[in-house]
Amino acid sequence: TEVNFNYTEANAWQYEFGAHHDIEGIIECLNLNDSEFIQAKNKDKKRYGKNLEKKLDSLFLSSSKMTGRDQSDITGLIGQYAHGNEPSHHVAYLYDDCNRNDKCQLRVQEIINKFYTNAPEGLCGNEDCGQMSAWYVFSCLGFYPVNPIISQYHLGIPQFQKVQIKLPNEKPILFNSKGIEDSKYLSKVYINEKEQRKEIQLKPGDQVKFEFSYQNYWQEETPLMSKSTFQPMPYISSGEEVFMDSTLVQLGSFNHSEIEYSFDTSLNEKYTYKAPISIYKPLTLFFRNRTKNAPWLVSEFKLKPRGFKYQVMTKYDQPYNAGGEDALFNGIDGSLDFRDGHWQGFWGKDIEIMLEIQEGINPKDISIRCLQDQGSWILFPSKIEIQVSKDGKNFKRNQLITNTIEQDNNTSRDHIFRSEKLNGNRFIKLIIYNPGKLPTWHLSAGSDSWVFMDEIKVNFE
């Protein structure tokens, strides 16, 4: 339920079903650990979509409460289904792939009745190039393009007795609905007198007939499924990206494909993955499915900084955790995109960080890298105060760095704030001050601002 940078204006619930082109692949993933399904797979195809059906039921029946960042774009909620934001628009139609067109019809009808009204604010979300209305038009016709790049449509429930689609220089497509006035379910579909199942294809001049009934005729039909040709990528299942002395890296694959890996940038020296890989030094790991023309995936492993201990006294905001407690000192520099997973975010609060330098080592300077992207409410800190101590108890101000960089700039930029003249003090406290409420010129003036930090580095003499 968490709204964070991994999902645009949504959470994992809404993007769970985002592989429109490979619904078969979604079903396979949901069935991976289902021993009952694996045993019945070749005997009972009706069992095939049950786990997808359960997942869809959970989506619509869950609480609508979300966690993480506040996101005003997520609207039109039924459970965790969000009709006001387009990533969900195909989801109700996935019941067709579970052999439950009756549930598809009920959910589509609920969405039509609940979220489309003849009023000044009759849509439950942003129109976004007409998509909110496009869903309504398709759904009222009785079908929807779940996969928009093929000429097949999932069946829903039509809303009109008679409709025609006029086509330039072609015969129109005609639709007639029999029994729509007083029946509950769409029961049968005919195109040019030939009965259809689950998905339909249309061409100029087609005559489509919908028949309605109080009885659902769809549930007992065997779902029509084609074998997925998509290959899931392998992944790192365990191992620290930034480690102290060593790390043990395990690779995994959803479909148990054989994996190969290499440490050679030229990829000439390759190994077949059979056991966890021990890493003792900074290096780059390349790995992929051991199939022809499979793409290489890349992961870098680095040593943790040495010579000091650190503690971030202020809790980061979970949606932008950058991997946890070590994120600000892991040696990995983020890009200028705050969504890349390397930036740690703090919302509406000052940040306090404590450093303890190892005895016998003299710190020369400290650099603090920050990000500014005002359109995303991220501003440079107003100032950074450096306090020092020889005993870790009695601190005094050593330096105050004031930000002078303009805020009203539409480009994403980074800046390194640097503290010098540390005078050999072993204990250093950093106080990074939040810039306060967003200024009057800002589109969201008066709201709290973010401070994003990526890497804090200590240089020694």
Short mmCIF file of all heavy atoms in Angstrom, two decimals, residues 20 50 64 123 127 129 135 158 167 170 202 205 229 268 277 284 287 289 301 310 345 384 392 396 411 419 440 451 458:
data_model
loop_
_atom_site.label_atom_id
_atom_site.label_comp_id
_atom_site.label_asym_id
_atom_site.label_seq_id
_atom_site.Cartn_x
_atom_site.Cartn_y
_atom_site.Cartn_z
N HIS A 20 0.31 -5.66 -19.49
CA HIS A 20 -0.85 -5.83 -20.37
C HIS A 20 -0.56 -6.80 -21.52
O HIS A 20 -1.46 -7.50 -21.99
CB HIS A 20 -1.24 -4.49 -21.01
CG HIS A 20 -1.47 -3.37 -20.05
ND1 HIS A 20 -0.56 -2.99 -19.10
CD2 HIS A 20 -2.52 -2.53 -19.91
CE1 HIS A 20 -1.03 -1.98 -18.42
NE2 HIS A 20 -2.22 -1.67 -18.88
N LYS A 50 -7.16 -19.31 -11.08
CA LYS A 50 -7.72 -19.10 -9.75
C LYS A 50 -6.90 -18.13 -8.91
O LYS A 50 -7.44 -17.31 -8.17
CB LYS A 50 -7.85 -20.44 -9.01
CG LYS A 50 -8.97 -21.33 -9.53
CD LYS A 50 -10.33 -20.70 -9.24
CE LYS A 50 -11.46 -21.61 -9.67
NZ LYS A 50 -12.78 -21.00 -9.48
N SER A 64 -8.96 0.90 1.37
CA SER A 64 -8.43 1.92 0.44
C SER A 64 -7.33 2.77 1.07
O SER A 64 -6.77 3.64 0.41
CB SER A 64 -9.57 2.83 -0.03
OG SER A 64 -10.50 2.11 -0.81
N LEU A 123 -15.91 13.27 -13.64
CA LEU A 123 -14.84 12.29 -13.74
C LEU A 123 -14.09 12.22 -12.41
O LEU A 123 -13.89 13.24 -11.76
CB LEU A 123 -13.87 12.65 -14.86
CG LEU A 123 -14.44 12.71 -16.28
CD1 LEU A 123 -13.35 13.11 -17.26
CD2 LEU A 123 -15.05 11.38 -16.68
N GLU A 127 -8.32 13.84 -16.87
CA GLU A 127 -8.68 13.30 -18.19
C GLU A 127 -7.47 12.77 -18.94
O GLU A 127 -7.56 11.77 -19.66
CB GLU A 127 -9.41 14.38 -19.00
CG GLU A 127 -9.83 13.96 -20.38
CD GLU A 127 -10.93 12.89 -20.38
OE1 GLU A 127 -10.69 11.81 -19.84
OE2 GLU A 127 -12.01 13.14 -20.93
N CYS A 129 -5.33 13.43 -21.74
CA CYS A 129 -5.42 13.16 -23.18
C CYS A 129 -6.66 12.36 -23.56
O CYS A 129 -6.71 11.76 -24.63
CB CYS A 129 -4.17 12.45 -23.68
SG CYS A 129 -2.65 13.36 -23.40
N TRP A 135 -11.95 5.09 -21.71
CA TRP A 135 -12.36 3.89 -20.96
C TRP A 135 -13.88 3.78 -20.95
O TRP A 135 -14.45 2.70 -21.16
CB TRP A 135 -11.82 3.93 -19.53
CG TRP A 135 -12.13 2.68 -18.75
CD1 TRP A 135 -11.32 1.61 -18.60
CD2 TRP A 135 -13.35 2.38 -18.04
NE1 TRP A 135 -11.94 0.63 -17.85
CE2 TRP A 135 -13.20 1.09 -17.49
CE3 TRP A 135 -14.55 3.06 -17.82
CZ2 TRP A 135 -14.19 0.47 -16.73
CZ3 TRP A 135 -15.54 2.44 -17.07
CH2 TRP A 135 -15.37 1.17 -16.54
N PRO A 158 -22.14 -4.23 -22.26
CA PRO A 158 -22.59 -3.05 -23.00
C PRO A 158 -23.69 -2.31 -22.26
O PRO A 158 -24.41 -2.87 -21.43
CB PRO A 158 -23.09 -3.65 -24.32
CG PRO A 158 -23.43 -5.06 -24.01
CD PRO A 158 -22.48 -5.49 -22.94
N LEU A 167 -16.99 4.18 -39.73
CA LEU A 167 -15.59 4.12 -40.14
C LEU A 167 -15.42 4.83 -41.47
O LEU A 167 -16.23 4.64 -42.38
CB LEU A 167 -15.14 2.67 -40.28
CG LEU A 167 -15.30 1.80 -39.02
CD1 LEU A 167 -15.05 0.34 -39.35
CD2 LEU A 167 -14.36 2.27 -37.94
N GLU A 170 -15.64 2.96 -45.01
CA GLU A 170 -15.89 1.54 -44.73
C GLU A 170 -17.31 1.37 -44.22
O GLU A 170 -17.96 2.33 -43.81
CB GLU A 170 -14.91 1.02 -43.66
CG GLU A 170 -13.44 1.10 -44.03
CD GLU A 170 -12.99 -0.05 -44.92
OE1 GLU A 170 -13.84 -0.89 -45.28
OE2 GLU A 170 -11.79 -0.11 -45.25
N LEU A 202 -12.74 -7.37 -34.32
CA LEU A 202 -13.73 -6.62 -35.09
C LEU A 202 -13.12 -6.13 -36.39
O LEU A 202 -11.94 -5.80 -36.46
CB LEU A 202 -14.24 -5.43 -34.27
CG LEU A 202 -14.98 -5.77 -32.97
CD1 LEU A 202 -15.21 -4.50 -32.15
CD2 LEU A 202 -16.30 -6.46 -33.27
N GLY A 205 -17.96 -3.59 -41.12
CA GLY A 205 -19.11 -4.32 -41.59
C GLY A 205 -19.60 -5.42 -40.66
O GLY A 205 -20.64 -6.04 -40.93
N THR A 229 5.74 -16.43 -24.19
CA THR A 229 7.09 -16.53 -24.77
C THR A 229 8.06 -15.56 -24.11
O THR A 229 9.20 -15.44 -24.51
CB THR A 229 7.04 -16.23 -26.27
OG1 THR A 229 6.51 -14.91 -26.48
CG2 THR A 229 6.17 -17.24 -27.01
N ASN A 268 34.37 -11.80 -22.17
CA ASN A 268 34.98 -12.97 -22.82
C ASN A 268 35.08 -14.15 -21.86
O ASN A 268 34.96 -15.30 -22.26
CB ASN A 268 36.38 -12.61 -23.35
CG ASN A 268 36.30 -11.63 -24.51
OD1 ASN A 268 35.39 -11.73 -25.34
ND2 ASN A 268 37.23 -10.70 -24.59
N ILE A 277 28.39 -16.52 -4.92
CA ILE A 277 29.66 -15.92 -5.32
C ILE A 277 30.21 -15.08 -4.17
O ILE A 277 29.54 -14.18 -3.66
CB ILE A 277 29.46 -15.03 -6.56
CG1 ILE A 277 28.79 -15.83 -7.68
CG2 ILE A 277 30.79 -14.45 -7.03
CD1 ILE A 277 28.24 -14.95 -8.80
N THR A 284 32.62 -5.13 -10.66
CA THR A 284 31.35 -5.10 -11.39
C THR A 284 30.98 -6.52 -11.78
O THR A 284 31.79 -7.25 -12.34
CB THR A 284 31.47 -4.22 -12.64
OG1 THR A 284 31.86 -2.90 -12.26
CG2 THR A 284 30.14 -4.16 -13.37
N PHE A 287 25.63 -10.49 -15.28
CA PHE A 287 24.95 -11.79 -15.25
C PHE A 287 23.73 -11.76 -16.17
O PHE A 287 23.18 -10.70 -16.47
CB PHE A 287 24.56 -12.17 -13.82
CG PHE A 287 23.61 -11.22 -13.15
CD1 PHE A 287 22.25 -11.48 -13.07
CD2 PHE A 287 24.09 -10.04 -12.58
CE1 PHE A 287 21.39 -10.61 -12.44
CE2 PHE A 287 23.22 -9.16 -11.95
CZ PHE A 287 21.87 -9.44 -11.88
N ASN A 289 20.51 -14.69 -18.23
CA ASN A 289 20.06 -16.04 -18.56
C ASN A 289 20.99 -16.63 -19.61
O ASN A 289 21.42 -15.93 -20.54
CB ASN A 289 18.64 -16.02 -19.14
CG ASN A 289 17.59 -15.77 -18.09
OD1 ASN A 289 17.75 -16.14 -16.93
ND2 ASN A 289 16.49 -15.14 -18.48
N PHE A 301 29.62 -3.62 -6.89
CA PHE A 301 29.84 -3.88 -5.46
C PHE A 301 31.02 -3.04 -4.98
O PHE A 301 32.06 -3.00 -5.65
CB PHE A 301 30.09 -5.37 -5.23
CG PHE A 301 28.89 -6.22 -5.55
CD1 PHE A 301 28.66 -6.68 -6.84
CD2 PHE A 301 27.97 -6.53 -4.56
CE1 PHE A 301 27.54 -7.44 -7.14
CE2 PHE A 301 26.85 -7.29 -4.85
CZ PHE A 301 26.64 -7.75 -6.13
N TYR A 310 29.54 6.43 11.92
CA TYR A 310 28.53 7.45 11.68
C TYR A 310 27.19 7.00 12.22
O TYR A 310 26.91 5.80 12.34
CB TYR A 310 28.41 7.79 10.20
CG TYR A 310 28.19 6.58 9.31
CD1 TYR A 310 26.91 6.07 9.10
CD2 TYR A 310 29.25 5.94 8.70
CE1 TYR A 310 26.70 4.96 8.30
CE2 TYR A 310 29.06 4.83 7.89
CZ TYR A 310 27.78 4.34 7.71
OH TYR A 310 27.58 3.25 6.93
N GLY A 345 15.59 10.90 1.35
CA GLY A 345 14.76 12.08 1.48
C GLY A 345 14.29 12.33 2.91
O GLY A 345 13.95 11.39 3.65
N ILE A 384 23.99 24.66 6.54
CA ILE A 384 24.55 23.47 7.18
C ILE A 384 25.51 23.92 8.28
O ILE A 384 26.43 24.70 8.01
CB ILE A 384 25.28 22.57 6.17
CG1 ILE A 384 24.28 22.06 5.11
CG2 ILE A 384 25.96 21.41 6.88
CD1 ILE A 384 24.93 21.21 4.04
N GLY A 392 33.22 14.12 22.44
CA GLY A 392 31.93 13.60 22.03
C GLY A 392 30.77 14.09 22.89
O GLY A 392 29.63 13.66 22.70
N LYS A 396 31.05 22.58 19.93
CA LYS A 396 31.00 24.00 19.61
C LYS A 396 30.95 24.16 18.10
O LYS A 396 31.43 23.30 17.34
CB LYS A 396 32.22 24.72 20.18
CG LYS A 396 33.55 24.23 19.62
CD LYS A 396 34.71 25.01 20.23
CE LYS A 396 36.05 24.51 19.64
NZ LYS A 396 37.20 25.25 20.22
N THR A 411 15.46 23.37 -13.49
CA THR A 411 16.35 22.24 -13.78
C THR A 411 16.68 21.49 -12.49
O THR A 411 16.75 22.07 -11.41
CB THR A 411 17.65 22.72 -14.44
OG1 THR A 411 18.34 23.62 -13.55
CG2 THR A 411 17.36 23.44 -15.74
N SER A 419 32.83 21.28 4.11
CA SER A 419 33.32 21.84 5.38
C SER A 419 34.81 21.57 5.50
O SER A 419 35.27 20.44 5.32
CB SER A 419 32.58 21.19 6.55
OG SER A 419 33.23 21.50 7.77
N THR A 440 6.37 31.58 -1.85
CA THR A 440 5.11 32.07 -2.45
C THR A 440 5.05 31.88 -3.96
O THR A 440 3.96 31.73 -4.52
CB THR A 440 4.93 33.57 -2.13
OG1 THR A 440 6.10 34.27 -2.58
CG2 THR A 440 4.76 33.77 -0.63
N VAL A 451 14.38 17.76 1.69
CA VAL A 451 15.83 17.81 1.52
C VAL A 451 16.27 16.41 1.10
O VAL A 451 15.94 15.43 1.76
CB VAL A 451 16.56 18.23 2.81
CG1 VAL A 451 18.06 18.01 2.67
CG2 VAL A 451 16.28 19.69 3.13
N VAL A 458 34.14 11.78 3.84
CA VAL A 458 35.15 12.36 4.72
C VAL A 458 36.51 12.14 4.07
O VAL A 458 36.89 11.00 3.75
CB VAL A 458 35.12 11.70 6.12
CG1 VAL A 458 36.16 12.34 7.03
CG2 VAL A 458 33.73 11.81 6.73
#
